[in-house]
Amino acid sequence: MLVYRLLRPDETDAAARQHRLAGALIPGFDPNLRSLDETSAFYREVFAKGPIWGAFDSATLAGHMALEPGWIEHLYFDPGRQGKGIGRALIAIAQRDHNDLQLWTYQANVRARSIYERAGFIAEEYGFDPEHEDPVPNVRYRWQARRRRNDQVTECDA
């Protein structure tokens, strides 16, 4: 059974390794643009900007999602666990804690796009993520919680 919890600072190296491993399967993503040490340093910076949620199978990190206010910045899980609901569960945590979320993903990343669209995200912009220098076409998605008449947030629009 998977347990979902916030990563501790000493677990960011595991997230960096997972980023490189899972990223290698994304069309257009080159995990070798940064060394493992550089990716680990990058994840320490990511950790300082916002929470990183992890899906743990015992002590093993099975997947993770990094958040910044209003944004899902990273969502990766072990390739052997695709289709097991980890991505959807992590997205549900973000949707529980936010009323409005955005994210960028590669246009060619059909699996990720499918997960986001099933979770109620809508493509709003095609182009390039202004925060990253990679030359791969991206798509920006947005999700907003539905509101009741009394303006209380309810479930996503999925």
Side-chain angles (χ1 to χ4, degrees):
M1 181 171 111
L2 294 176
V3 173
Y4 294 85
R5 65 168 175 79
L6 292 171
L7 264 68
R8 298 183 312 260
D10 65 319
E11 295 170 322
T12 58
D13 286 346
R17 286 188 300 276
Q18 190 169 73
H19 177 109
R20 290 173 57 86
L21 180 67
L25 301 178
I26 299 171
F29 183 88
D30 184 359
N32 296 314
L33 290 176
R34 292 185 178 134
S35 69
L36 179 55
D37 287 342
E38 290 170 324
T39 305
S40 292
F42 171 74
Y43 260 83
R44 286 189 290 281
E45 293 173 16
V46 168
F47 186 85
K49 292 180 183 178
I52 302 176
W53 281 90
F56 288 87
D57 184 356
S58 192
T60 303
L61 182 64
H64 72 277
M65 171 186 64
L67 298 170
E68 289 186 25
W71 289 86
I72 294 175
E73 289 293 332
H74 304 280
L75 177 62
Y76 292 98
F77 41 90
D78 286 339
R81 295 183 185 254
Q82 288 183 346
K84 306 293 186 200
I86 295 172
R88 180 65 187 114
L90 289 167
I91 291 168
I93 290 169
Q95 290 173 323
R96 177 195 70 199
D97 295 343
H98 296 84
N99 296 331
D100 190 353
L101 287 167
Q102 297 183 74
L103 61 89
W104 287 96
T105 193
Y106 289 160
Q107 290 181 29
N109 193 350
V110 176
R111 282 183 182 250
R113 293 182 65 185
S114 176
I115 291 169
Y116 299 134
E117 290 168 6
R118 285 193 315 267
F121 283 79
I122 297 169
E124 288 197 336
E125 179 182 356
Y126 293 85
F128 297 90
D129 180 348
E131 297 287 318
H132 298 96
E133 297 176 357
D134 66 51
V136 180
N138 282 253
V139 56
R140 183 177 54 80
Y141 280 93
R142 187 172 187 186
W143 171 85
Q144 293 179 298
R146 290 192 303 203
R147 297 187 178 271
R148 296 181 185 153
R149 280 191 290 170
N150 65 359
D151 208 35
Q152 288 182 329
V153 175
T154 62
E155 72 281 353
C156 70
D157 293 326

